[in-house]
Amino acid sequence: MTTTPFPYGSWRSPVSSQLIAAGSTSLANVMVDSGDIYWVEGRAREGGRNVLVRRGADGQAVDVTPPPFNVRTRVHEYGGGAATVHRGTVYFSNFADQRLYRQRPGEAPEPLTPEGDLRYADGLVDAARNAWIGVREDHSAGDAAPVNTLVAIDLATGGPGRVLAGGNDFYSSPRLSPDGRHIAFLTWCHPNMPWIGNELWVAEIGADGALAKATRVAGGPEESIFQPEWSTEGVLHFVSDRSGWWNLYRYDRGESVALCPKDAEFGRAQWSFGLSTYAFLSSGRLVCTYTELGVDRLALLDPASGALAPIELPLTEYGDVRAYGGRVVCLAGSPTLPHSVLLVDPVAAESVTLRTSTEIADDPGLRRYFSMPEMVAFPTEGGETAYGFYYPPFNPDYPVSPGEEEKPPLLVLCHGGPTSAASTSLNLRIQYWTSRGVAVLDVNYGGSTGYGRAYRDRLNRRWGIVDVDDSVNGARSLVMRGEVDGRRVVIAGGSAGGYTTLMALATRGLFAGGASYYGVSDAEALVRDTHKFESHYLDSLIGPYPAERATYRERSPIEHADGIDVPVIFFQGDEDRVVPPNQAEMLVEALRSKRIPVGYLLFSGEQHGFRQASNIQRSLDAELYFYAATVFGVKLTF
């Protein structure tokens, strides 16, 4: 019999939704400008406002952008790369009007671009020509698809920008050579996403800023290029998955040379702008991060010899890697460290935390309640292996006896994307569950990044099948191990993870309930309604539309509503343009008509993902109470 005074799922825990929401801060867009370090903080306590922060040589971190400015761009809807800094002057996109602003030291922000339906991202400053060069997304044609181009904005006069490169559907990652004579950039066209196939181009840039003699140097319809970068000597580097793995290359004298061939991922799926997995140190070496079996490592790479020397740090996730002289600034985390801005000494293998996404995780009293993950591999369909991270329930106030009769309920988490991966950084939302006696499996189903191109390609034309199979088989493996109660398994996810959740509930019999956060219920409606960046994403995941219309209907949870006979709760933002609210509301009504227990919370002012503290808190508690009442069979006493 259990030795706990309360059953699994009802344990009392100090890891409260209020603490999580109040201390929730997203970190992104790490930059270095001379001796200063910058990053963008998304603050739930300020209604989700994004603030540019500077850490000066004195070690003090101060806000740069004043209220009500919100440093966030809507290019591609997912944004990223909303700010750049040059010699202390900041250039940023403001969320409310999507105009590009300049903010000189000690002065208020001033608009550079006119009012209108134009968005800007991923910029750099061309000092020789006094211009901002970056991506512009033009929505002025109304209902027609927006037009994406690479533009230059004269910093003396401002204006909408002069087109440098256009004609393709998408552009990103402009990079000037050290001598300012060449510019590299990425471009791709529908139906590809950048992680399926794109191209790296290099062009000469004249004194007037116009481009000439543009040449494609890498990439194609089945090769993904990531992060072009020039070395201090003017040699172009980039990441390519031509070998089946995102590896580092340099382009020299018309040839692409692999720097360190390895069955590991040195690149990422480019969902947002400004991502960086490597940088050039003052010593001439590269610092880079790579992923093996879903776990990141940081390393030094000698470009001449290809020697890779891992930096031994107790961290498992890295991003936004930037050189800071002989040191490294990056975003990083681990199962004991939440997403944080770190300053790393690569030689001494030491790091200093400059900013953490949640300071409450530093509380020793709270850390006693954290569950540590186990990387799990399990068999799935077709003789394949899938992966995930298993977090057993843990709370020092409720000791568990080995072999006890009662087993905990299991929450299966499905990440979004779907071309993405589960994070290995400390996630207080996961600890919210485990400290209450609920086991968690964070699944990296087939199609996830971090395991090579072949693993990503498992989802080709099989979205709604492979991801569902892997989520089911991951849960079953834990049931067979005797870790969890097979009668109390629930599943949840956001966006694409919400789709996997709904398909699993509709087409499999394992799960006793679930939660969809802004998930897809009608694939056909999504392909008609979604934004430009993802408007052909489903071509690879399901098939071309409308030619494969029958398949879209077959892969839509709304078409299988009769198969859902367990409780489901839905969470949705009313301003979501990626997955509009009608996606949730169609299925909510179908389930209500069947008298299935269903919950629906529509949050005002939220887009694709919740940024307001009150909504983060309410959704987390509502999900727990919903499961407690409908699936776990426990009474919450707090």
Side-chain angles (χ1 to χ4, degrees):
M1 297 293 293
T2 179
T3 61
T4 61
F6 293 94
Y8 287 108
S10 68
W11 296 351
R12 296 176 178 175
S13 169
V15 187
S16 69
S17 62
Q18 183 178 8
L19 275 178
I20 293 171
S24 179
T25 302
S26 65
L27 300 172
N29 208 175
V30 173
M31 297 169 286
V32 172
D33 180 56
S34 299
D36 295 334
I37 299 169
Y38 294 78
W39 61 84
V40 173
E41 296 185 4
R43 297 172 179 169
R45 66 181 183 274
E46 295 186 31
R49 188 172 80 93
N50 292 268
V51 182
L52 184 65
V53 177
R54 181 185 73 247
R55 182 185 187 272
D58 60 0
Q60 298 299 310
V62 296
D63 291 356
V64 176
T65 48
F69 289 99
N70 187 350
V71 183
R72 181 180 165 202
T73 177
R74 290 189 62 184
V75 177
H76 294 181
E77 296 299 337
Y78 294 103
T84 191
V85 187
H86 181 71
R87 295 176 183 172
T89 296
V90 172
Y91 304 84
F92 69 91
S93 291
N94 182 48
F95 182 69
D97 56 13
Q98 289 299 294
R99 298 172 76 182
L100 187 68
Y101 284 77
R102 172 173 55 200
Q103 183 177 353
R104 295 185 173 97
E107 298 183 11
E110 57 177 337
L112 284 170
T113 58
E115 295 181 347
D117 294 327
L118 302 173
R119 305 174 182 180
Y120 299 87
D122 209 15
L124 59 83
V125 173
D126 181 359
R129 301 166 188 86
N130 197 34
W132 179 96
I133 297 175
V135 176
R136 185 183 72 189
E137 191 170 80
D138 185 347
H139 290 252
S140 59
D143 292 336
V147 177
N148 293 67
T149 52
L150 201 63
V151 302
I153 297 172
D154 189 323
L155 294 179
T157 61
R162 177 180 61 162
V163 174
L164 300 181
N168 288 343
D169 291 319
F170 302 100
Y171 294 84
S172 77
S173 313
R175 300 290 187 272
L176 277 178
S177 61
D179 61 9
R181 296 173 56 190
H182 294 85
I183 187 169
F185 58 89
L186 298 178
T187 183
W188 65 98
C189 289
H190 289 314
N192 275 349
M193 301 299 285
W195 51 82
I196 295 174
N198 60 358
E199 297 177 345
L200 170 59
W201 285 72
V202 173
E204 292 182 4
I205 181 166
D208 63 351
L211 305 190
K213 297 181 181 179
T215 303
R216 181 175 66 86
V217 300
E222 296 180 352
E223 179 184 1
S224 171
I225 307 298
F226 173 84
Q227 193 191 346
E229 212 75 67
W230 300 89
S231 71
T232 54
E233 295 78 24
V235 177
L236 181 62
H237 290 65
F238 59 93
V239 175
S240 167
D241 71 349
R242 62 182 61 177
S243 70
W245 298 86
W246 269 315
N247 278 192
L248 277 159
Y249 292 79
R250 68 168 177 266
Y251 184 74
D252 196 9
R253 297 180 179 87
E255 292 187 6
S256 296
V257 179
L259 298 185
C260 179
K262 187 176 179 62
D263 289 354
E265 300 279 57
F266 290 77
R268 299 284 189 270
Q270 191 179 301
W271 280 101
S272 57
F273 294 102
L275 303 179
S276 174
T277 60
Y278 71 95
F280 295 93
L281 298 175
S282 56
S283 62
R285 288 182 294 178
L286 275 168
V287 61
C288 58
T289 181
Y290 61 91
T291 309
E292 292 179 309
L293 293 177
V295 176
D296 294 351
R297 300 197 71 179
L298 192 67
L300 292 173
L301 174 63
D302 184 341
S305 67
L308 188 70
I311 302 167
E312 299 300 336
L313 290 168
L315 301 167
T316 58
E317 185 170 23
Y318 295 93
D320 276 27
V321 177
R322 312 291 183 191
Y324 185 65
R327 291 179 290 174
V328 181
V329 182
C330 62
L331 293 176
S334 75
T336 59
L337 179 71
H339 212 216
S340 303
V341 180
L342 263 60
L343 180 61
V344 178
D345 183 330
V347 177
E350 296 175 346
S351 66
V352 176
T353 301
L354 307 184
R355 181 71 167 96
T356 181
S357 56
T358 173
E359 295 179 355
I360 64 173
D362 293 332
D363 181 351
L366 201 67
R367 295 175 72 90
R368 295 175 54 241
Y369 292 83
F370 292 168
S371 172
M372 293 297 102
E374 169 196 351
M375 195 277 282
V376 293
F378 49 88
T380 191
E381 306 305 308
E384 301 283 4
T385 299
Y387 304 91
F389 296 96
Y390 173 60
Y391 296 78
F394 178 76
N395 186 316
D397 299 334
Y398 301 92
V400 176
S401 300
E404 67 178 16
E405 182 178 325
E406 184 192 4
K407 299 298 179 185
L410 173 67
L411 170 61
V412 175
L413 293 181
C414 306
H415 64 71
T419 311
S420 186
S423 172
T424 58
S425 294
L426 175 64
N427 185 336
L428 289 180
R429 297 189 189 194
I430 289 178
Q431 304 302 328
Y432 174 90
W433 295 100
T434 56
S435 62
R436 285 169 171 77
V438 180
V440 173
L441 175 64
D442 210 354
V443 182
N444 271 333
Y445 48 76
S448 301
T449 57
Y451 302 86
R453 175 116 191 189
Y455 196 82
R456 293 204 311 276
D457 287 349
R458 285 188 193 179
L459 216 53
N460 286 357
R461 302 291 187 99
R462 295 180 63 78
W463 191 37
I465 299 175
V466 168
D467 49 322
V468 174
D469 286 339
D470 292 353
S471 299
V472 169
N473 289 325
R476 283 178 175 161
S477 70
L478 293 174
V479 173
M480 293 178 64
R481 279 172 44 174
E483 300 279 358
V484 299
D485 183 352
R487 298 164 300 177
R488 295 188 294 168
V489 180
V490 294
I491 184 170
S495 190
Y499 168 81
T500 300
T501 292
L502 296 173
M503 281 297 289
L505 293 170
T507 62
R508 303 291 193 276
L510 175 68
F511 300 103
S516 170
Y517 285 75
Y518 35 89
V520 177
S521 65
D522 187 337
E524 187 177 11
L526 180 69
V527 79
R528 293 195 304 261
D529 298 342
T530 196
H531 58 119
K532 178 185 176 182
F533 180 62
E534 291 186 89
S535 61
H536 287 271
Y537 187 21
L538 300 192
D539 286 23
S540 62
L541 296 174
I542 297 177
Y545 184 85
E548 298 285 344
R549 185 179 183 186
T551 306
Y552 275 74
R553 294 176 65 86
E554 175 63 25
R555 301 277 182 82
S556 294
I558 189 66
E559 298 294 331
H560 301 278
D562 288 345
I564 301 179
D565 55 7
V566 296
V568 190
I569 188 168
F570 297 78
F571 302 94
Q572 181 71 44
D574 70 344
E575 296 180 4
D576 194 338
R577 298 294 180 265
V578 178
V579 180
N582 68 322
Q583 286 279 324
E585 291 162 357
M586 287 186 292
L587 196 49
V588 167
E589 289 307 311
L591 296 182
R592 282 176 175 166
S593 69
K594 294 175 56 183
R595 298 186 181 278
I596 299 295
V598 61
Y600 179 48
L601 277 74
L602 181 67
F603 293 116
S604 176
E606 293 284 17
Q607 296 89 44
H608 197 61
F610 302 154
R611 293 173 171 83
Q612 299 176 34
S614 60
N615 297 335
I616 293 170
Q617 180 180 351
R618 188 181 177 200
S619 61
L620 197 53
D621 284 341
E623 187 179 353
L624 171 64
Y625 276 82
F626 186 78
Y627 294 152
T630 63
V631 179
F632 296 165
V634 298
K635 183 179 180 180
L636 302 178
T637 58
F638 51 98

